[in-house]
Amino acid sequence: MLYIDANGPDWGGQEPENIPALIKRLKSEPLDPIYETMGNFIVSYQPSSWTPENKRFEGCTHFFGHFATSPYVFSIITDEKVVIDSLTSAIRMNQCRTDYERIKHNAKI
């Protein structure tokens, strides 16, 4: 199961971009390090309360955050191993970028 709540420059009014578009952006722009304090971009999906609607996300991984230098947000919920592995790898590589480290250092995170 793959649910893309947001993936692009806006939360509403546009169709979300696909996973390859996010991975491409992760290779070229630094994430906003503030998300390290909110689960480090990747968490097990845990709603404030389980409902019949969100029960389908049980056991899923939630990827979320935005970029430091451009208005681009992502919120993706999935249990697909290939997607989880690809996004986890791309996010962790992004966190090793020198521009990410500089932004993190300047923000004192």
Side-chain angles (χ1 to χ4, degrees):
M1 192 277 297
L2 174 64
Y3 176 71
I4 302 175
D5 183 35
N7 188 32
D10 193 6
W11 272 95
Q14 295 177 330
E15 283 294 312
E17 295 182 5
N18 59 28
I19 300 298
L22 175 57
I23 290 173
K24 181 178 179 181
R25 187 169 295 257
L26 285 164
K27 291 178 181 179
S28 65
E29 293 183 44
L31 287 165
D32 184 341
I34 192 70
Y35 285 89
E36 285 189 15
T37 64
M38 295 180 253
N40 207 17
F41 304 99
I42 307 165
V43 297
S44 296
Y45 181 77
Q46 294 293 324
S48 55
S49 66
W50 287 102
T51 65
E53 183 177 313
N54 67 20
K55 188 77 170 156
R56 65 188 170 134
F57 301 132
E58 190 170 15
C60 287
T61 301
H62 187 190
F63 296 87
F64 62 96
H66 64 77
F67 289 83
T69 58
S70 67
Y72 190 105
V73 299
F74 60 95
S75 177
I76 298 165
I77 302 169
T78 188
D79 62 357
E80 296 179 12
K81 184 170 176 20
V82 171
V83 174
I84 292 169
D85 292 347
S86 296
L87 285 177
T88 299
S89 176
I91 288 169
R92 297 303 178 236
M93 288 177 62
N94 187 285
Q95 291 177 289
C96 293
R97 295 170 53 101
T98 56
D99 51 358
Y100 179 92
E101 286 296 327
R102 186 176 352 92
I103 293 165
K104 181 179 174 180
H105 175 75
N106 290 341
K108 296 179 179 28
I109 296 173

